[in-house]
Amino acid sequence: MKEINDLNLPEDVKYSKDHEWTKLDNDIVTIGINDYAQDQLGEIVFVELPETGDTFDEGEEFGSVESVKAVSEIYMPISGEIVGINEELEDAPELVNESCYDKGWIIKVKPSDASQIDNLMDKTAYLAMLKG
């Protein structure tokens, strides 16, 4: 397991208390689990994805990540409609471990209220939460 100071936490994404990351690009938000979450889970062997077109409210479970250690639910950091899923994860779930912010993204969402992103944490606030 990584030390908190060794985590890869980019400045250009926002973080949820449930360890998801979000990145707004135009009017679409890309969501995945962050470096802390994938590090804690260990080797990821399966990612349960929602269907394109599904809608979820903020805080609602939209999928799960299964590792050799445990199964963890993934929660929506914002409300919206699923407009894309990372189908590569079906055959290569380890992409979440290898590159959680790039190749290992999980879903793309059209937010129903983009201002919800403002309620998420920046890197400094997220690190403070981890340190307790």
Side-chain angles (χ1 to χ4, degrees):
M1 301 238 180
K2 296 179 182 178
E3 295 294 322
I4 288 178
N5 293 334
D6 294 333
L7 292 171
N8 175 16
L9 299 172
E11 300 275 355
D12 64 340
V13 302
K14 295 281 197 149
Y15 301 93
S16 74
K17 64 178 175 39
D18 297 311
H19 315 293
E20 290 84 20
W21 61 268
T22 63
K23 185 172 185 177
L24 180 63
D25 188 21
N26 295 322
D27 63 343
I28 301 298
V29 177
T30 303
I31 298 171
I33 65 169
N34 68 34
D35 194 37
Y36 175 81
Q38 71 80 24
D39 184 58
Q40 294 293 308
L41 284 166
E43 182 185 343
I44 293 173
V45 296
F46 181 75
V47 179
E48 178 189 14
L49 299 166
E51 298 287 325
T52 301
D54 288 352
T55 58
F56 295 91
D57 290 329
E58 177 183 11
E60 197 173 356
E61 179 185 330
F62 72 82
S64 63
V65 177
E66 183 177 338
S67 74
V68 293
K69 292 184 187 177
V71 175
S72 288
E73 291 76 28
I74 317 169
Y75 299 96
M76 286 292 283
I78 59 164
S79 301
E81 177 184 351
I82 308 296
V83 294
I85 59 170
N86 188 348
E87 294 178 0
E88 287 185 47
L89 298 179
E90 291 172 5
D91 294 325
E94 67 276 4
L95 290 172
V96 175
N97 292 118
E98 294 168 9
S99 180
C100 62
Y101 302 107
D102 297 312
K103 294 179 184 167
W105 64 273
I106 297 174
I107 58 172
K108 293 191 182 279
V109 174
K110 183 164 183 57
S112 46
D113 179 2
S115 72
Q116 289 178 324
I117 292 172
D118 298 336
N119 299 331
L120 299 172
M121 292 174 270
D122 63 11
K123 177 181 177 176
T124 303
Y126 182 70
L127 277 170
M129 183 196 81
L130 289 179
K131 292 175 181 173

